[in-house]
Amino acid sequence: MLVTQQPVLRRFWYAVMPMDKLAAGPQPFTLLGEHIVLWKKSDGTPAAVRDRCCHRTAKLSKGFVEGDHIVCGYHGWTYDCSGACVKIPQAPDLQIPAGARVPAFHCQEKFGYAWVALDDPLLPLPDAEEEALGYRRIHQFDEAWATGALRLMENSFDSAHFAFVHAGTFGQGGQPKPEQFALDETDYGFEASMVISINNPPQSHRITGTTEPTTKRQFSNQWHMPFLRKLGLVYPSGIKHTIFTCATPIDDHRVQLIQWLYRNDSEADCPAELLNEWDTKVVLEDKVILESVDADAPVDVARRDEQSMASDRPGMLMRKRLLQLLQEHGETEKFGWTRIHPVQKEAAHADH
């Protein structure tokens, strides 16, 4: 699925950057192929519009913030958060033309990040009970990966790769299947729960809360359509380690990985630096593999572009739900030439 060519995907919220970044002034971002600029208003809330001045197309991200407004660095044209031009310095006494505006986007802060929806959102932002429970929140990742959003999401629910991809961290080579597994559909997507034995090397002792060479992980893994995952890990020690992962689609071939962590322990129990160091090691094992796959993952499995196995059920359900989403909004899946089945390729050549 080529995400930039599926309009319905513009109707979801995506985490795009930590709010801290906006302290330095306007920040550019590309979301679903749309070039946007974000800035922080005087009340501390974020705003987002297209990163193009309507005068001579200069990037507004090259400008500066003035109160609640963003000012183009080329000629000083000034825009409010609705995208309307409110000031033209060269003609202060003339009425501003009605067409002097740029598209504005839904934008709000949550969990310490700026979130953007390019069109009217179909679903609200997710909640995190960990906030109300007073768990500490730790920022982990804000980086671009050369992979597709669906690829990163289905990998997050793929227990079969642990023994191989994560052999250098927690994966057990002789344990390619979880001890328990269940999958339940929800309005927002689904929840997968499982129990699996993992290796517990010395570097992870403070993370798991035990010095035993192996331990168990209880997973409560939620998929929120289209590209957000909430992973709740519980260890026998009582430690709760909850991760939110956003595969924010930059374009058809890249995502911005936004991830933060909640813990029910203290900084003295396990420093944030150690947690990030360990989770970085785990995530980089995924990155090596995910950047080697075709970013354009098929959602219409009837094309049989890829072979699947029983443990792929979460990813298959994602594809099914995403295809239904497209169909409900009058869309068909757009995919690249490499995603066309050989028989279809021959038919396409014959048509031309």
Side-chain angles (χ1 to χ4, degrees):
M1 177 176 64
L2 300 176
V3 293
T4 64
Q5 298 182 36
Q6 310 289 174
V8 70
L9 295 180
R10 296 170 61 93
R11 300 189 62 185
F12 290 89
W13 287 103
Y14 301 98
V16 298
M17 65 182 64
M19 284 294 297
D20 291 350
K21 278 193 171 182
L22 299 182
Q27 298 295 318
F29 191 82
T30 302
L31 177 60
L32 288 164
E34 180 87 52
H35 299 294
I36 65 177
V37 57
L38 293 89
W39 74 96
K40 187 184 291 186
K41 297 184 291 182
S42 57
D43 65 359
T45 59
V49 300
R50 182 172 290 168
D51 195 9
R52 281 293 182 195
C53 179
C54 68
H55 174 226
R56 287 296 181 267
T57 75
K59 288 184 175 293
L60 293 174
S61 55
K62 300 294 185 182
F64 56 93
V65 177
E66 193 173 77
D68 287 345
H69 303 147
I70 188 168
V71 182
C72 179
Y74 195 6
H75 296 96
W77 284 37
T78 304
Y79 299 86
D80 65 17
C81 60
S82 75
C85 180
V86 296
K87 180 181 178 181
I88 299 176
Q90 296 79 10
D93 300 324
L94 298 181
Q95 183 175 353
I96 296 173
R101 61 183 307 113
V102 295
F105 307 109
H106 301 275
C107 188
Q108 64 175 286
E109 176 185 3
K110 196 164 188 179
F111 311 128
Y113 297 87
W115 297 69
V116 173
L118 297 175
D119 288 321
D120 293 341
L122 293 172
L123 297 172
L125 281 168
D127 289 320
E129 63 180 7
E130 293 79 10
E131 295 274 341
L133 292 171
Y135 291 7
R136 56 182 173 137
R137 185 178 68 212
I138 300 167
H139 168 69
Q140 292 201 299
F141 300 106
D142 172 31
E143 59 186 53
W145 283 22
T147 192
L150 179 54
R151 292 296 192 192
L152 196 155
M153 277 293 102
E154 66 179 0
N155 177 77
S156 299
F157 293 82
D158 175 19
S159 61
H161 81 281
F162 294 166
F164 305 96
V165 175
H166 299 300
T169 51
F170 68 87
Q172 292 187 335
Q175 186 76 22
K177 296 175 63 176
E179 297 175 19
Q180 300 175 25
F181 181 82
L183 184 63
D184 298 300
E185 286 198 62
T186 64
D187 291 341
Y188 59 77
F190 62 72
E191 179 168 345
S193 58
M194 66 177 170
V195 176
I196 192 167
S197 295
I198 63 168
N199 287 333
N200 186 39
Q203 306 97 294
S204 65
H205 285 177
R206 295 177 73 180
I207 293 163
T208 62
T210 179
T211 58
E212 295 296 320
T214 63
T215 188
K216 292 184 186 292
R217 265 185 181 175
Q218 179 180 326
F219 288 72
S220 175
N221 207 0
Q222 298 176 359
W223 173 56
H224 293 255
M225 294 178 67
F227 307 125
L228 184 145
R229 180 274 299 262
K230 178 184 179 182
L231 171 61
L233 299 177
V234 180
Y235 295 102
S237 62
I239 287 178
K240 295 182 179 180
H241 185 106
T242 303
I243 293 172
F244 279 76
T245 303
C246 301
T248 298
I250 297 172
D251 52 34
D252 294 320
H253 307 287
R254 295 177 298 157
V255 300
Q256 192 76 12
L257 172 63
I258 304 284
Q259 182 168 300
W260 66 97
L261 164 69
Y262 293 101
R263 292 273 294 196
N264 67 338
D265 59 357
S266 68
E267 180 71 11
D269 294 325
C270 188
E273 182 179 1
L274 179 61
L275 289 161
N276 283 347
E277 180 182 331
W278 176 255
D279 280 349
T280 295
K281 188 174 182 180
V282 172
V283 167
L284 289 181
E285 291 174 328
D286 287 310
K287 184 178 183 181
V288 170
I289 292 295
L290 288 175
E291 291 196 334
S292 76
V293 305
D294 187 341
D296 178 16
V299 297
D300 185 355
V301 298
R303 290 203 310 274
R304 298 189 181 277
D305 290 336
E306 300 174 352
Q307 300 299 309
S308 299
M309 57 184 175
S311 61
D312 293 322
R313 186 181 168 204
M316 298 297 281
L317 183 52
M318 284 183 194
R319 296 172 188 225
K320 173 186 172 184
R321 291 287 293 268
L322 288 172
L323 184 60
Q324 288 176 344
L325 174 71
L326 299 182
Q327 293 170 341
E328 288 167 1
H329 291 269
E331 299 180 31
T332 57
E333 181 191 4
K334 308 300 182 186
F335 52 93
W337 186 254
T338 57
R339 283 272 143 237
I340 302 179
H341 190 276
V343 174
Q344 293 174 298
K345 286 184 180 180
E346 292 176 9
H349 282 302
D351 290 341
H352 295 283

